[in-house]
Amino acid sequence: MPRHYVVPSLITWLMLLVCQSGCCLLDSITAASNFSLVPNYINTSNLHQDYCERKRKLPNFVGWRLSTEKLTATLPIDNIQENYVREVQNSIFSVVYPTPLKSRVLLVAVSKEVLEDILDLDFSVSETEEFLHLVSGTKILLESLPLAHRYGGHQFGSWAGQLGDGRAHLIGVYTNRFGDRWELQLKGSGRTPYSRNGDGRAVLHSSVREFLGSEAMHFLGIPTSRAASLVVSDDDVWRDRFYNGNIKKERGAIVLRIAKSWFRVGSLEILAFSGELELLRTLLDLVISEHFPSINVNDSNRYLIFFSEVVSETAHLIALWMSVGFAHGVCNTDNFSLLSITIDYGPFGFMDSYDPDFVPNTSDDERRYKIGNQANVGMFNLNKLFQALNPLLDIRQKQLASQILEGYPEQYYKHFTELFKAKLGLLGDSEDDGYLIAFLLKLMEDTKADFTMTFRQLSEISQDQLKELSIPQEFWALQDVAKHKFFANWVAMYLLRLKRNTGDSYSERSRRMIGINPRYVLRNWMAESAVQKAERNDFSEVRLLQQVLQHPFQMQTVAERAGYAQRPPAWAKEIKVSCSS
């Protein structure tokens, strides 16, 4: 392929992809050999390991304590106790209890890892009535005061005013044997002062997706909230899922999800917008002291340093999303965590065929949150965070914060390049690496090749097979790319670049690539199949997917039998997901 043909179009295309689109995979792989599947926000230090092993998991809730005391002692609480929709002022939380489900409740799924490794509960606890009462919102532990969080946000680019936890209840904070604090939140547990016109419920369809989606992301090594349990009831919940006037009856469900913190960009925006600057300062100082231990809370530059860390980690997070073809679907500021973890799983989607214009959310008429625009949206949201911090910054700090924000695209581009180099098994640096990555992505886009399996099959195919352009039938995604008239040119460039991997071998490269290119992701058709069975109280596929997605990089017989690594079925293209849940 003549070099002059590719450089102008593809390099321009790559830069657009990075700054306007986004297509990435980074920081936890800066060196492929050091890649870790464990998100860096979970404490797995060996110093705690012996203590962890010595302390038995609790067989029941005796001695197991939840509390919101620190939050309520530090932050002001809404002085109105009644649960009705209203504008809330001068407070961070409202006290509000979950609304119990009226009909029978069935346990759909439980995360053994979350229960045992984070919440210190033996898995057998999940079989008790006490557990079912807790995760369905029927009972609250005595020492904990359930809270709904007040926040605002920019939705689809426009200021939406007060939003808040309209169907979620923070039922307590748990401090585990590692000393880590985790906030437990029920989603779908009834109305709050922030419900607006909603009923405070979530339905089975979206709840299955949230449970599986957050757990899948964790095992892919991407910072995320976790899901502890999922229950479903026979309560009727009415939804116009696609906003077309076709209202249907669905079943109510509740997810118990956990995170180190649920504070988001919108948590600060609402305070700045309302002029509650002392409260803004109080909340920021709490967030910094609790979740940014490297920042001195007495440092006059602490908000500037905080902003710099959030900018850096947000660039990292979105790059990681792109590395696995994940589109969040609703990247509003109220869905962007201050801890740069993935939260609020709604109309998300993992991309099948590579397409920078992929939009998982059918409610997104303007295609604002297409996968290729996520990096750009990250910049928009960080700018809104900057505006929220502005009242607390002096002139010099504002100038520095502006410079930090301007550096976001470069950080994202760096993450993008390093991650895709790792996906391709490249070691060291070459000036042509960006070109090589862009070239492949363009071939994939033109041939509509499968994103996940193209990289996975590049991890498994031999160099001789590539060199001879002899693509075995089982490498169906690579066969699609190979139909492109310039595939042979890319292969020649790729093999030449691999020769620069000093001291590297095929087996070592394949091992590295297999360790970062998943074979299984939660495709929409897989989630939809599980949901359809769950609607009939057959939870087998939900649990099968949960099991498979815990080991996304390992070939599994049961997953192969289910077709999870095969070409998506034709009906997958007809699946629609919206904001309604």
Side-chain angles (χ1 to χ4, degrees):
M1 178 178 184
R3 193 168 179 79
H4 67 270
Y5 175 89
V6 183
V7 174
S9 58
L10 278 187
I11 295 301
T12 301
W13 181 84
L14 176 59
M15 294 307 295
L16 287 173
L17 186 68
V18 171
C19 297
Q20 180 182 12
S21 311
C23 184
C24 210
L25 271 153
L26 160 51
D27 237 30
S28 61
I29 314 181
T30 50
S33 59
N34 293 327
F35 178 71
S36 170
L37 302 186
V38 182
N40 57 18
Y41 61 95
I42 295 180
N43 186 347
T44 56
S45 169
N46 290 333
L47 296 175
H48 297 283
Q49 238 12 48
D50 290 340
Y51 175 63
C52 166
E53 294 303 322
R54 285 199 303 269
K55 184 171 180 179
R56 292 182 58 195
K57 308 296 187 301
L58 297 174
N60 52 49
F61 289 103
V62 176
W64 192 80
R65 183 173 182 265
L66 288 181
S67 174
T68 49
E69 183 179 357
K70 188 165 186 177
L71 292 173
T72 56
T74 309
L75 301 171
I77 304 300
D78 181 12
N79 57 15
I80 299 177
Q81 297 294 308
E82 291 80 7
N83 185 8
Y84 63 91
V85 175
R86 60 184 179 276
E87 288 291 318
V88 177
Q89 298 290 327
N90 302 308
S91 57
I92 303 296
F93 294 105
S94 296
V95 176
V96 57
Y97 283 79
T99 303
L101 295 163
K102 298 177 181 178
S103 59
R104 65 169 182 165
V105 175
L106 300 176
L107 186 63
V108 177
V110 179
S111 170
K112 187 175 189 290
E113 184 186 77
V114 170
L115 247 62
E116 296 196 340
D117 296 347
I118 297 178
L119 300 181
D120 300 334
L121 291 170
D122 189 89
F123 186 71
S124 62
V125 172
S126 65
E127 301 172 356
T128 67
E129 285 295 316
E130 287 179 291
F131 181 80
L132 202 59
H133 288 319
L134 177 73
V135 302
S136 63
T138 304
K139 292 183 179 179
I140 298 295
L141 296 188
L142 290 177
E143 297 183 29
S144 191
L145 196 63
L147 305 171
H149 175 36
R150 169 195 176 213
Y151 54 81
H154 280 79
Q155 297 193 327
F156 294 91
S158 300
W159 175 245
Q162 177 181 288
L163 299 167
D165 290 334
R167 52 179 173 173
H169 296 76
L170 176 63
I171 60 172
V173 180
Y174 180 72
T175 303
N176 67 16
R177 62 193 182 277
F178 301 117
D180 295 331
R181 297 174 69 253
W182 290 86
E183 297 182 2
L184 279 67
Q185 187 184 77
L186 297 177
K187 181 175 179 179
S189 44
R191 286 178 176 164
T192 77
Y194 310 102
S195 294
R196 294 176 288 171
N197 295 321
D199 57 15
R201 292 300 185 194
V203 298
L204 180 60
H205 181 270
S206 61
S207 300
V208 166
R209 289 171 50 83
E210 168 128 12
F211 181 90
L212 292 175
S214 56
E215 289 301 280
M217 291 284 274
H218 166 73
F219 288 104
L220 286 168
I222 298 175
T224 178
S225 60
R226 301 293 304 276
S229 65
L230 166 62
V231 297
V232 64
S233 72
D234 290 327
D235 285 27
D236 293 340
V237 178
W238 297 90
R239 286 290 182 271
D240 182 0
R241 187 182 294 184
F242 302 113
Y243 306 102
N244 57 7
N246 187 17
I247 300 175
K248 289 188 176 181
K249 181 173 67 175
E250 301 193 44
R251 299 172 70 190
I254 296 177
V255 175
L256 172 60
R257 56 186 193 169
I258 69 171
K260 291 292 186 68
S261 172
W262 293 101
F263 290 126
R264 66 244 0 246
V265 173
S267 303
L268 306 181
E269 281 188 290
I270 190 70
L271 302 178
F273 183 85
S274 302
E276 300 169 39
L277 301 188
E278 283 308 308
L279 186 48
L280 174 62
R281 189 183 304 274
T282 299
L283 177 56
L284 267 169
D285 287 345
L286 175 68
V287 170
I288 290 171
S289 64
E290 287 289 319
H291 305 292
F292 293 81
S294 64
I295 303 177
N296 184 343
V297 292
N298 296 314
D299 191 330
S300 60
N301 289 315
R302 62 190 181 278
Y303 303 141
L304 182 66
I305 301 170
F306 162 79
F307 181 64
S308 178
E309 289 202 20
V310 175
V311 169
S312 177
E313 290 305 314
T314 298
H316 177 192
L317 177 66
I318 298 178
L320 285 168
W321 286 357
M322 302 305 297
S323 73
V324 292
F326 173 82
H328 185 281
V330 195
C331 295
N332 298 326
T333 57
D334 54 293
N335 293 331
F336 256 55
S337 163
L338 292 177
L339 274 58
S340 302
I341 64 173
T342 314
I343 60 172
D344 292 356
Y345 289 84
F348 69 88
F350 284 85
M351 181 168 52
D352 290 333
S353 298
Y354 178 70
D355 179 8
D357 292 328
F358 169 63
V359 179
N361 181 5
T362 57
S363 305
D364 187 2
D365 296 329
E366 297 178 358
R367 307 177 72 82
R368 176 181 177 83
Y369 297 137
K370 64 184 181 181
I371 195 168
N373 201 40
Q374 289 188 132
N376 213 32
V377 169
M379 182 80 166
F380 176 91
N381 290 350
L382 289 168
N383 184 50
K384 297 307 176 186
L385 174 60
F386 175 33
Q387 292 177 22
L389 295 176
N390 242 331
L392 306 184
L393 304 176
D394 61 29
I395 294 176
R396 180 188 64 86
Q397 290 170 336
K398 290 176 183 177
Q399 292 173 341
L400 291 173
S402 180
Q403 292 172 14
I404 290 169
L405 184 59
E406 288 173 1
Y408 165 83
E410 183 179 350
Q411 291 195 54
Y412 180 82
Y413 178 74
K414 174 180 177 291
H415 294 338
F416 171 87
T417 304
E418 290 299 319
L419 285 168
F420 271 91
K421 281 171 57 180
K423 285 178 77 70
L424 291 174
L426 308 182
L427 299 178
D429 294 311
S430 171
E431 62 180 11
D432 292 333
D433 286 345
Y435 173 86
L436 184 68
I437 295 165
F439 193 169
L440 175 60
L441 292 176
K442 181 58 176 169
L443 301 186
M444 292 169 62
E445 181 180 6
D446 288 350
T447 58
K448 296 181 171 52
D450 190 88
F451 177 81
T452 299
M453 293 307 294
T454 295
F455 284 100
R456 177 65 183 209
Q457 290 168 10
L458 276 173
S459 309
E460 298 172 342
I461 196 169
S462 73
Q463 288 188 211
D464 286 341
Q465 288 171 322
L466 263 184
K467 183 177 181 180
E468 297 169 5
L469 302 180
S470 175
I471 313 297
Q473 187 173 358
E474 63 266 26
F475 295 151
W476 52 271
L478 274 182
Q479 285 189 334
D480 288 347
V481 186
K483 294 174 183 177
H484 201 288
K485 61 181 179 180
F486 293 124
F487 179 69
N489 301 83
W490 180 84
V491 168
M493 289 179 58
Y494 179 50
L495 293 178
L496 184 63
R497 174 61 178 87
L498 288 178
K499 289 182 179 180
R500 300 179 196 168
N501 284 0
T502 306
D504 199 22
S505 66
Y506 164 74
S507 60
E508 274 299 303
R509 176 178 61 81
S510 179
R511 181 191 62 81
R512 289 196 314 273
M513 292 174 66
I514 286 174
I516 60 176
N517 288 311
R519 189 169 179 86
Y520 314 110
V521 294
L522 183 62
R523 299 174 186 264
N524 270 346
W525 76 264
M526 294 156 61
E528 184 65 25
S529 176
V531 166
Q532 290 178 7
K533 291 180 181 177
E535 291 285 5
R536 304 189 297 270
N537 290 336
D538 176 359
F539 308 132
S540 60
E541 191 160 12
V542 173
R543 294 165 184 169
L544 172 63
L545 280 170
Q546 182 187 2
Q547 172 190 333
V548 168
L549 295 170
Q550 287 177 1
H551 307 282
F553 305 98
Q554 301 174 15
M555 184 179 292
Q556 303 169 52
T557 301
V558 66
E560 297 299 308
R561 191 179 302 126
Y564 293 159
Q566 297 303 310
R567 195 182 297 276
W571 59 267
K573 296 179 181 179
E574 306 302 320
I575 296 173
K576 294 181 179 181
V577 184
S578 76
C579 289
S580 176
S581 62

